[in-house]
Amino acid sequence: MKDLLLILKALSDQNRLRIFNALLRYDELCACQIIELLQVSGATASRHLSLMVTAGILKSKKVGRWVHFSLDGPDVMFDPVADWIKLKLNTSDQIEKDLKMLECIMRIPCEELSRKQREKTTGCTTNN
């Protein structure tokens, strides 16, 4: 029961649901891509990602300077609770905006995206 509570708590936030959905669409995302999607600071994104890793929803791996995140195995993808969440997310206007934003974000190499984030000029815009 403790594991279920961790998962439910980890998904009980709009930004964490957005991360979950983004990783359903893209197998793996760099932390900088998630930061850009959410339009939050690195520290805020890191807190969200850490909660999701601790709950067993996400796993992370370091690739050079970058930390990449993905869903943690088939249990997350095929769990009945995850199926219900996916169904509900598909009716969200925010998710539609996120998918359009991700299309832009995915065209920018991580190194350039990180540099532009430091300058606060990525070129991808959203109307959240």
Side-chain angles (χ1 to χ4, degrees), residues 7-69:
I7 291 168
L8 292 173
K9 285 180 183 180
L11 292 174
S12 67
D13 176 88
Q14 179 178 348
N15 283 333
R16 292 191 292 271
L17 281 173
R18 292 172 66 200
I19 294 167
F20 178 76
N21 189 71
L23 288 167
L24 287 171
R25 307 300 169 125
Y26 293 89
D27 291 338
E28 187 175 273
L29 292 171
C30 177
C32 65
Q33 294 166 323
I34 294 169
I35 290 166
E36 186 64 22
L37 172 66
L38 299 180
Q39 294 291 296
V40 296
S41 71
T44 298
S46 179
R47 185 174 46 85
H48 287 307
L49 292 163
S50 176
L51 282 167
M52 295 177 79
V53 168
T54 299
I57 298 168
L58 302 182
K59 60 184 174 184
S60 66
K61 70 177 180 181
K62 189 146 172 79
V63 179
R65 293 178 32 200
W66 317 112
V67 179
H68 291 254
F69 292 88

Side-chain angles (χ1 to χ4, degrees), residues 101-117:
M101 180 77 157
L102 276 167
E103 286 177 21
C104 176
I105 292 168
M106 297 304 286
R107 289 190 295 264
I108 304 170
C110 288
E111 186 142 334
E112 183 180 341
L113 186 60
S114 288
R115 182 182 49 79
K116 288 183 174 192
Q117 285 172 343

